[in-house]
Amino acid sequence: DTFALLVADVLMIAVGYVAGNPAYAHTWECFGVSMGFFLLTLYIIGEGMLEHADDPNTSEDKERVMKTLLWLTVLIWCTYPLYFVLEYSGVIKHNPAHRCLLVLLYGLSDVLAKAVFGFILLLNDDILHVAMPTGVTENIPMVTYNQPTVYSSQGVQ
């Protein structure tokens, strides 16, 4: 599933980039293909998150947080194609004021998609252990700090 997710995500971005290129004549066709990869990406993410959330070993609190994160992701990610449609359909004109509005909208979505998502994860850090495959947390190297190295004229002590 991870490989399929990465491929779908990369193709979504690549085809979406071509769709947004003003020199390319097939904007809406590329947008449609990119949306197909977008929906596939959301499906893979949603399926994985719901599988973990619905696991009988998952507490109700963790299930609630995972489903909140899933819906947050879906709703915020849906704003990106909406902004694209608003821009390329002519609703948002190609002038500096509208371009500034579009940049602000994309920025708002980026902050919500990354900072708010991360904040929810930090508030519920125990959810990370449920969302990771078995054994992953045990393989994360831990950095421990012993006595600091002291340098002197006689060398390292």
Side-chain angles (χ1 to χ4, degrees):
D1 281 350
T2 302
F3 181 74
L5 177 62
L6 291 173
V7 169
D9 193 39
V10 167
L11 289 173
M12 172 190 66
I13 293 168
V15 177
Y17 177 78
V18 173
N21 184 346
Y24 192 67
H26 300 284
T27 297
W28 292 109
E29 292 90 342
C30 287
F31 174 76
V33 172
S34 181
M35 284 300 297
F37 289 121
F38 173 76
L39 294 173
L40 178 60
T41 300
L42 284 179
Y43 174 78
I44 294 169
I45 290 172
E47 180 183 49
M49 297 232 2
L50 289 175
E51 180 182 320
H52 288 294
D54 293 336
D55 186 311
N57 297 323
T58 302
S59 71
E60 288 183 24
D61 288 340
K62 290 179 184 179
E63 179 182 353
R64 180 185 44 77
V65 171
M66 290 183 80
K67 287 182 177 180
T68 298
L69 289 172
L70 174 61
W71 285 111
L72 180 70
T73 300
V74 169
L75 292 174
I76 293 171
W77 281 20
C78 285
T79 63
Y80 293 101
L82 174 67
Y83 301 151
F84 184 92
V85 168
L86 290 174
E87 179 181 14
Y88 285 90
S89 65
V91 173
I92 295 180
K93 306 291 183 210
H94 291 279
N95 64 46
H98 287 130
R99 176 64 61 190
C100 184
L101 172 64
L102 195 61
V103 169
L104 289 173
L105 289 172
Y106 277 116
L108 176 64
S109 290
D110 284 344
V111 167
L112 291 173
K114 293 163 184 72
V116 173
F117 187 93
F119 185 71
I120 292 172
L121 280 178
L122 287 173
L123 286 177
N124 301 280
D125 65 342
D126 57 335
I127 198 167
L128 293 174
H129 300 291
V130 172
M132 291 180 146
T134 305
V136 172
T137 54
E138 289 81 21
N139 295 329
I140 298 173
M142 297 299 293
V143 177
T144 57
Y145 294 98
N146 297 326
Q147 294 289 340
T149 304
V150 178
Y151 297 93
S152 70
S153 59
Q154 287 89 21
V156 177
Q157 299 179 356

